[in-house]
Amino acid sequence: MAATRDTVESRRVLRTHLPERADTLGVSVREADLGLRLDGAGHGLLDTTHFDTVRFPPPPWALTAFTAAASDGELAYTGYRGNAAVRATCARSVSGLLGVDVDPDREIIITTGTQGGLFATLSALVDSGDMVALADPEYLFVERMLRFLGARVVRVGMVEHPAGPQLDLAALETVAREGVKLVLTSNPNNPTGTVYTPETVRGLAALAVRHDFLVVVDELYCRLVYDDVPFTHLAAEPGMAERTVTLLGGSKTESLSGYRVGVAIGPSPVVDAIEQVMAISCLRAPAYSQHVLTHWLVDDVEFVRTRRTELAALRELSVARLRRVDGLLVRPGAGTAYLWPDVSALGLDDVRVARVLQERAGVIVSPGYQFGPSGHGRFRVCYAREETGWAAALDRMADALTNAAVAS
């Protein structure tokens, strides 16, 4: 007998489809993704859902460190939380970055990329029925992970600010009074590119201390901040070292995504729990890849400085070209390599825009619905691309959007 979806997929997997969003999309989020071929395969189109790692390759030391480790068979297996020598180096580097002392044996774990670290962290902390507050908009897979775990997800929106949209702390306090267990956000925010002001970070810390909730903060892009905008690490705020899990890695800024390693930093009991999740799910992060982290945050200062300069120029190019479309609102973010344009004034929704850009411009973008209810009418595009080809693609995108808006 042929199996059907209902008999094959568990209820927890079906929850990750976000079927309740059919009220606005007409289909589940998963079905919308599949309809737009958003499965990570690219399909021969220019895929702006991620960085161009040909134009922006990893630092030369990454392959050298990996190859040296791979040539030593003794390094194939490590403890579940990672190679001890690598953790010691990372703890020193991360301590300097965050401004807090990190114990290499108790407070840091090497994860299977930041994505794997995020899932392991949430799996270690969240039980079915727990209330978890999630920024809106926020990285597309976070809500799906939380729904897989059976959490009750409450979205907390953004408020306008001259420095870019900021987490609505008044709304978060209302949620906190209802007994939220965990708050999750990214800083810089993915997809908006906003960097939380020092006041926003301090306000979030004050709420966490007052209401005694945990915060998971994805700081993957914290070194990719432009225009000398100040960046404040949540874990360094008073009372937050014991309440914060910080996710970091080199997958974006240093293009180490293919090595699949990241780190999670947090209180010892949380790291112990993450280790248990790692042990039963994947045993350890890729053992040879772990060794690229001995150079990360150590030997890449000039590399990152140059990369920021190159990406800042691409940011300006992308904003200028897309602003040629009448009614398209484009605000450059202070961090990441993403733009978050608002197409609502064009009379187009984000699903239609994603389809138009695929069919008429040959470009895959991330439609706003993926990032939360507030994303409708927006799309995310990554401008970390080869300059000449990207300039031509931006022209195609502008023409496609202009023609679609006129037709609508």
Side-chain angles (χ1 to χ4, degrees), residues 100-116:
V100 297
D101 290 332
V102 177
D103 186 312
D105 295 320
R106 301 172 62 248
E107 297 172 338
I108 188 169
I109 183 168
I110 303 174
T111 63
T112 51
T114 307
Q115 174 105 353

Side-chain angles (χ1 to χ4, degrees), residues 50 106 141 169 239 255 294 332 349:
H50 54 72
R106 301 172 62 248
F141 284 116
L169 296 179
S255 297
T294 60
D349 63 38

